[in-house]
Amino acid sequence: MGQHPFDISYVFEYFIRLLPSLRITLYIVGSSIAFGLIVGLLVALPQLYRVPVLQRLARIYISFFRGTPILIQLFLFYYGLPELLKLIHIDVSKTPTLFFVILTYSLHSGAYISEVIRGAVTAVDRGQVEAAYAMGMNGYQAFIRIVMPQALAISIPVFANVVLGNLKDTSLAFTLGILEITGRAQTIGALSQRFIEIYLSLALLYFIICFVLERLFFRLERRLLRFEQSAEAEQRLRRVEGSIFGRATSAAKLRNKEARL
Amino acid sequence: MIQLKQIKKSFGRHQVLKGIDLQVEKGQVVAILGPSGSGKTTLLRCINFLERPSDGEIEIGGITVQCKRPSKSDIHTLRKQSAMVFQQYNLFRHKTALENVMEGLVVVQKIPKEEARERSIALLKKVGLENKLDAYPSQLSGGQQQRVGIARALALNPKVILLDEPTSSLDPELVGEVLSVIRKIAKEGITMIIVTHEMAFAQDVASHIIFMDDGVVVEQGSPVELFNSPKEERTRQFLKRYTPDGVYSI
Ligand SMILES: Nc1ncnc2c1ncn2[C@@H]1O[C@H](COP(=O)(O)OP(=O)(O)O)[C@@H](O)[C@H]1O
Ligand SMILES: [Mg+2]
């Protein structure tokens, strides 16, 4: 525990001091999700199209990255890869540590993203693909025009989980000496001995980013899924209209009755 | 114009189509009847290669494909000869009614967007949906969705439209609107092969009736011949199950 009594004003001060390091955290998240999307697609395709050997390899790849702790993956790539490359006479001793970190997080999120893609594509009903084929589209057209837009919309909530998970996982990059927000927080903590204050501001920072990302993903999902959601809105509208019309017709009947009387 | 020769199809060891011969002339409406599981859907799906026949020969409008070893381009060319209307509509859910109809024109036939749009609007008008152009499938009733499906098929200007039980997923009160659209396009001389359980409709609209059972064509002929004096016992049994008021047990 720190030697100083708790003082909330430090929470705000440290929060501000953490902000510059946020750039590195977001840089790791952004680039590893971007590469992860490419990797994920490449790993998902052989499974979707049942390519014999590649399908197997894809499963092994996914099992490895989902089944081992990311901390160990970080160490394996950071210490192991240079040794491996030395065997084929490639020297990576001058490569920045950040490269290995982004590589690991890309491959890691790629494994999860491939599962997201696979699930979303399988969720688009087969009948629509058949309709596309029946009208003369080829496989590529059917995928790009019919399957992908719907799969994208379906996948947003799960994809959001992957991104948020990735954000939190970047807090382990400090173990390799990367000064992203967690790394920065540890340095500040060690120097100031105000551990509660610094970790409170760190938690607050993670929470705010997550919150903003969640909102963004939610809006994106609503936008992409408007072809399904509008149905509910429409139904509600129709129900409202129905009740108004119902009343209007009974009123009309009443008037008719009066007229006959 | 359409000729099927000895179409066979097996799923694993189960032979579902046991050599079907069928001929359809231009402008004819052919109704296929038969009990559930007799292979009607499979036959329709073989005609556009959604199911690959194990053997036989398919000819539509001068394009002939040997089913044993079809090339990719054979299948592609053959598919463009026909259009299909599905039992479950199978509309593209992320596209509006108008976009559903335009899709094939723009993507497959490469027609300029504006022209495709005008043609599609005209077709949606024809099926009575001119005020639903911008509705998504999820905002349409089953009957409306199926009418979009019919407009989408018509748009491709195919040699033949294949309809697989177009009304059997519909609530009874919605069946009429779809049947009357089909009746209307039949009068325009569009060639159709339609699988249906609507006996009265088949009798009224079809120029030729095919009765299938257990993967073979048991009997065929004009509606009058088939409904009034069926020759085969199996046909008689099948027709008997359809009570006069249209309630049936399949
Ligand atoms: N994809 C498939 N795999 C295996 N069996 C199938 C498949 N599709 C249809 N069948 C079988 O083929 C037979 C005919 O089915 P179908 O053509 O759908 O009949 P119908 O449309 O006349 O009811 C049924 O016994 C069905 O179980
Ligand atoms: Mg069927």
Side-chain angles (χ1 to χ4, degrees):
Chain A
M1 283 278 102
Q3 301 145 350
H4 310 288
F6 177 75
D7 181 348
I8 191 139
S9 66
Y10 281 102
V11 175
F12 299 109
E13 188 195 322
Y14 292 156
F15 187 85
I16 304 295
R17 280 173 64 185
L18 285 177
L19 285 180
S21 310
L22 187 56
R23 207 171 51 90
I24 308 219
T25 298
L26 294 182
Y27 181 66
I28 300 174
V29 174
S31 44
S32 61
I33 290 293
F35 288 123
L37 278 169
I38 299 169
V39 173
L41 190 65
L42 290 179
V43 175
L45 284 177
Q47 297 177 77
L48 289 169
Y49 288 96
R50 311 230 163 85
V51 186
V53 181
L54 291 179
Q55 184 181 3
R56 276 289 177 77
L57 290 177
R59 288 317 306 174
I60 295 173
Y61 171 86
I62 293 167
S63 301
F64 174 76
F65 279 98
R66 291 207 305 184
T68 55
I70 183 136
L71 188 62
I72 294 171
Q73 292 166 16
L74 270 176
F75 288 160
L76 274 178
F77 277 93
Y78 182 64
Y79 296 112
L81 195 59
E83 292 300 314
L84 214 63
L85 290 176
K86 232 186 245 168
L87 294 178
I88 50 171
H89 305 290
I90 298 177
D91 180 21
V92 288
S93 59
K94 292 205 179 59
T95 310
T97 314
L98 196 58
F99 168 84
F100 294 97
V101 171
I102 290 176
L103 177 70
T104 311
Y105 284 112
S106 299
L107 294 175
H108 182 84
S109 51
Y112 282 91
I113 289 173
S114 80
E115 288 291 89
V116 174
I117 294 176
R118 201 168 62 92
V121 166
T122 340
V124 177
D125 96 88
R126 181 78 205 151
Q128 293 181 50
V129 180
E130 293 193 335
Y133 286 151
M135 66 170 51
M137 283 195 210
N138 58 35
Y140 176 75
Q141 289 168 328
F143 185 77
I144 295 293
R145 299 201 52 97
I146 307 304
V147 178
M148 209 170 74
Q150 294 182 65
L152 205 65
I154 298 170
S155 68
I156 293 298
V158 207
F159 180 67
N161 283 347
V162 174
V163 174
L164 295 188
N166 180 288
L167 169 70
K168 287 181 283 180
D169 283 344
T170 58
S171 66
L172 289 170
F174 81 88
T175 52
L176 297 183
I178 301 286
L179 283 184
E180 39 68 69
I181 52 179
T182 302
R184 185 85 192 116
Q186 296 210 318
T187 337
I188 296 175
L191 287 174
S192 66
Q193 296 293 307
R194 292 190 173 273
F195 293 108
I196 301 178
E197 289 89 339
I198 184 62
Y199 284 117
L200 262 180
S201 42
L202 183 60
L204 190 66
L205 188 51
Y206 276 114
F207 170 75
I208 291 173
I209 310 168
C210 279
F211 185 77
V212 171
L213 283 175
E214 265 174 2
R215 298 300 308 168
L216 286 178
F217 277 118
F218 184 70
R219 303 231 333 229
L220 183 64
E221 185 194 354
R222 279 251 307 258
R223 224 182 112 89
L224 291 179
L225 265 183
R226 65 184 180 281
F227 59 89
E228 294 293 357
Q229 285 198 339
S230 46
E232 285 160 34
E234 184 87 348
Q235 261 172 15
R236 229 174 297 132
L237 193 74
R238 237 181 275 141
R239 234 174 292 143
V240 173
E241 266 176 278
S243 59
I244 294 172
F245 268 114
R247 235 170 280 147
T249 46
S250 55
K253 264 184 221 148
L254 222 80
R255 234 176 287 126
N256 272 342
K257 254 186 204 161
E258 282 168 9
R260 252 179 275 133
L261 285 171
Chain B
M1 190 184 62
I2 299 166
Q3 186 134 34
L4 307 184
K5 285 187 193 155
Q6 283 302 304
I7 299 296
K8 294 188 179 125
K9 173 70 186 174
S10 305
F11 291 109
R13 279 213 251 113
H14 179 193
Q15 193 173 26
V16 175
L17 299 178
K18 300 171 179 167
I20 303 276
D21 293 306
L22 183 67
Q23 194 167 341
V24 182
E25 302 303 331
K26 192 166 189 302
Q28 248 188 345
V29 176
V30 173
I32 303 181
L33 311 180
S36 205
S38 54
K40 309 179 296 294
T41 297
T42 307
L43 178 63
L44 275 198
R45 289 166 60 84
C46 280
I47 297 177
N48 62 9
F49 267 82
L50 282 183
E51 224 57 88
R52 180 176 294 207
S54 327
D55 202 0
E57 184 186 299
I58 299 175
E59 190 215 312
I60 306 178
I63 311 277
T64 309
V65 174
Q66 301 295 332
C67 300
K68 261 228 167 103
R69 270 182 220 85
S71 72
K72 248 191 171 156
S73 74
D74 277 349
I75 294 178
H76 199 66
T77 320
L78 191 76
R79 274 182 181 158
K80 287 200 220 166
Q81 307 301 307
S82 64
M84 193 160 207
V85 172
F86 297 85
Q87 187 174 350
Q88 303 293 342
Y89 333 129
N90 291 0
L91 296 185
F92 306 132
R93 294 193 67 81
H94 62 308
K95 293 185 179 291
T96 62
L98 181 58
E99 289 167 345
N100 263 277
V101 182
M102 284 174 64
E103 185 71 7
L105 292 176
V106 175
V107 178
V108 178
Q109 301 190 346
K110 313 276 187 225
I111 290 173
K113 248 192 168 145
E114 261 324 299
E115 190 188 332
R117 188 181 184 80
E118 272 167 36
R119 271 170 61 178
S120 304
I121 293 177
L123 284 167
L124 283 165
K125 236 178 220 158
K126 179 181 277 183
V127 299
L129 290 174
E130 60 271 27
N131 54 358
K132 291 288 181 189
L133 300 180
D134 296 321
Y136 288 102
S138 58
Q139 297 168 307
L140 297 172
S141 73
Q144 291 169 333
Q145 288 189 58
Q146 193 58 298
R147 285 188 279 153
V148 175
I150 293 170
R152 180 172 73 172
L154 281 170
L156 301 166
N157 212 359
K159 303 260 165 54
V160 58
I161 300 183
L162 314 167
L163 303 98
D164 186 14
E165 301 196 29
T167 59
S168 20
S169 310
L170 296 173
D171 292 336
E173 74 270 20
L174 300 177
V175 168
E177 65 187 57
V178 171
L179 290 185
S180 72
V181 165
I182 298 174
R183 200 172 266 132
K184 185 161 143 192
I185 60 176
K187 286 214 183 87
E188 291 177 9
I190 290 173
T191 315
M192 288 192 274
I193 304 179
I194 172 167
V195 172
T196 184
H197 286 302
E198 301 285 339
M199 293 300 146
F201 173 75
Q203 195 161 10
D204 171 29
V205 170
S207 42
H208 193 76
I209 307 252
I210 306 241
F211 174 67
M212 270 180 76
D213 193 8
D214 201 19
V216 295
V217 173
V218 175
E219 186 170 355
Q220 54 181 309
S222 71
V224 178
E225 286 167 350
L226 211 106
F227 281 104
N228 297 349
S229 48
K231 291 186 191 66
E232 299 291 328
E233 180 55 30
R234 273 197 277 181
T235 317
R236 257 173 290 195
Q237 287 293 331
F238 174 76
L239 291 174
K240 219 170 31 188
R241 263 185 285 168
Y242 287 76
T243 54
D245 59 341
V247 179
Y248 43 83
S249 55
I250 292 176

